């Protein structure tokens, strides 16, 4: 089954304790992205990657890091989480085309609470 | 910058009622337009899309027409079912997004359909 998986689905942590949220896709997509969803704000892009070893900032990258060492994986790293990073996080992937309008496939989400 | 405005929720309807969720956008040129749906506890799924003016996207009984003159992409369904209860997001990918393929989302509209 074609899918995007994220782990963990739920996480409660404390300020300053480094954490990683994993994202994996089995569709051989070049493009992957991270979004955060906050009430009343919709989803906002954190980072994206066009392919292996190619990453770039989205709208809200502060406090986050990413890496793309393999095509299928795109982990999101919070080196020193703070309470304002409490949110619902989604990973997404899509094939790439010149048009850039390909459907993005979303993971099930990771609900993070930073105390 | 580019933005999407969709009607405030929540929206509560009885089964078999007609649904309209309004969506208007601000963007340079001709963005691609999308409706995503988020069922409880799940990630976002593409519902339909349109990539040029006057295109009509349709899926599962839902429809939306890309109206350039009114910069709108309203979602409609003739007869809703309880299973349509979800949060609906209008989104666009602007022409200027380039490799970012950044989806700009509206704030979402919660739909509840009562039996």
């Amino acid at each position: 089954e074609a899918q995007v998986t994220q782990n963990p689905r739920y996480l409660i942590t404390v300020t300053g304790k480094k954490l990683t949220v994993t994202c994996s896709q089995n569709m051989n997509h070049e493009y992957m992205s991270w979004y955060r969803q906050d009430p009343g704000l919709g989803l906002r892009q954190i980072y994206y990657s066009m392919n292996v070893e190619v990453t770039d900032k989205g709208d809200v990258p502060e406090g986050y890091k990413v890496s793309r060492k393999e095509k299928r994986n795109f982990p999101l790293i919070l080196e020193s989480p703070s309470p304002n990073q409490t949110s619902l996080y989604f990973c997404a992937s899509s094939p790439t085309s010149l048009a850039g309008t390909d459907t993005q496939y979303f993971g099930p989400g990771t609900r993070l609470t930073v105390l | 910058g580019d933005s999407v405005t969709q009607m405030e929720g929540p929206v509560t309807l009885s089964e078999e009622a007609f649904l309209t969720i309004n969506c208007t956008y601000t963007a340079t040129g001709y963005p691609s337009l999308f409706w995503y749906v988020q069922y409880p506890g799940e990630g976002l799924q593409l519902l339909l899309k349109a990539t040029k003016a006057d295109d009509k996207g349709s899926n599962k009984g839902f429809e939306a027409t890309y109206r350039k003159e009114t910069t709108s992409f309203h979602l409609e369904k003739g007869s809703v079912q309880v299973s349509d209860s979800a949060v609906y997001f209008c989104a666009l990918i602007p022409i200027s997004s380039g490799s970012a393929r950044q989806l700009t989302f509206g704030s979402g509209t919660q739909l509840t359909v009562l039996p």
Side-chain angles (χ1 to χ4, degrees):
Chain A
E1 180 190 354
Q3 60 182 350
V4 179
T5 57
Q6 295 179 226
N7 281 292
R9 293 290 310 277
Y10 303 91
L11 179 61
I12 300 174
T13 190
V14 296
T15 299
K17 186 176 182 182
K18 181 179 179 180
L19 65 92
T20 299
V21 183
T22 64
C23 173
S24 183
Q25 50 94 4
N26 63 0
M27 295 170 278
N28 202 37
H29 288 164
E30 293 85 6
Y31 176 86
M32 297 185 75
S33 179
W34 277 102
Y35 294 86
R36 61 178 287 173
Q37 182 181 11
D38 300 291
L41 297 177
L43 281 78
R44 295 175 292 167
Q45 190 183 53
I46 302 170
Y47 269 95
Y48 67 95
S49 169
M50 289 298 293
N51 214 323
V52 176
E53 303 292 0
V54 180
T55 63
D56 209 343
K57 298 177 181 178
D59 278 343
V60 288
E62 295 77 20
Y64 304 95
K65 285 175 56 177
V66 293
S67 69
R68 187 91 182 272
K69 293 183 169 53
E70 305 166 283
K71 197 172 187 179
R72 63 182 293 127
N73 295 324
F74 189 46
L76 179 69
I77 303 156
L78 285 72
E79 294 269 2
S80 183
S82 62
N84 65 10
Q85 292 178 296
T86 293
S87 187
L88 181 56
Y89 291 87
F90 289 101
C91 182
S93 74
S94 80
T96 54
S97 70
L98 289 177
T101 59
D102 306 273
T103 298
Q104 292 190 24
Y105 296 84
F106 284 78
T110 295
R111 185 166 293 283
L112 172 65
T113 301
V114 183
L115 302 174
Chain B
D2 302 308
S3 65
V4 175
T5 302
Q6 55 182 110
M7 66 186 286
E8 297 274 334
V11 174
T12 302
L13 297 173
S14 297
E15 206 164 24
E16 300 184 2
F18 184 85
L19 168 70
T20 299
I21 301 178
N22 290 337
C23 171
T24 57
Y25 66 88
T26 301
T28 303
Y30 300 94
S32 295
L33 301 174
F34 304 81
W35 277 101
Y36 278 83
V37 58
Q38 184 179 27
Y39 297 103
E42 298 183 12
L44 281 73
Q45 303 173 24
L46 179 70
L47 183 58
L48 52 85
K49 71 178 183 182
T51 57
K52 61 183 188 295
D54 300 324
D55 265 4
K56 177 185 283 188
S58 61
N59 186 26
K60 299 181 181 180
F62 291 89
E63 292 183 340
T65 301
Y66 190 141
R67 302 283 188 202
K68 170 178 166 292
E69 62 277 10
T70 54
T71 62
S72 64
F73 193 55
H74 304 322
L75 182 69
E76 295 182 338
K77 186 175 186 183
S79 176
V80 294
Q81 305 301 312
V82 172
S83 58
D84 294 327
S85 298
V87 181
Y88 293 81
F89 291 92
C90 186
L92 63 81
I93 292 181
I95 295 293
S96 59
S97 181
S99 61
R101 288 165 168 74
Q102 182 182 51
L103 281 161
T104 296
F105 287 89
S107 57
T109 301
Q110 171 77 55
L111 170 66
T112 301
V113 180
L114 302 175

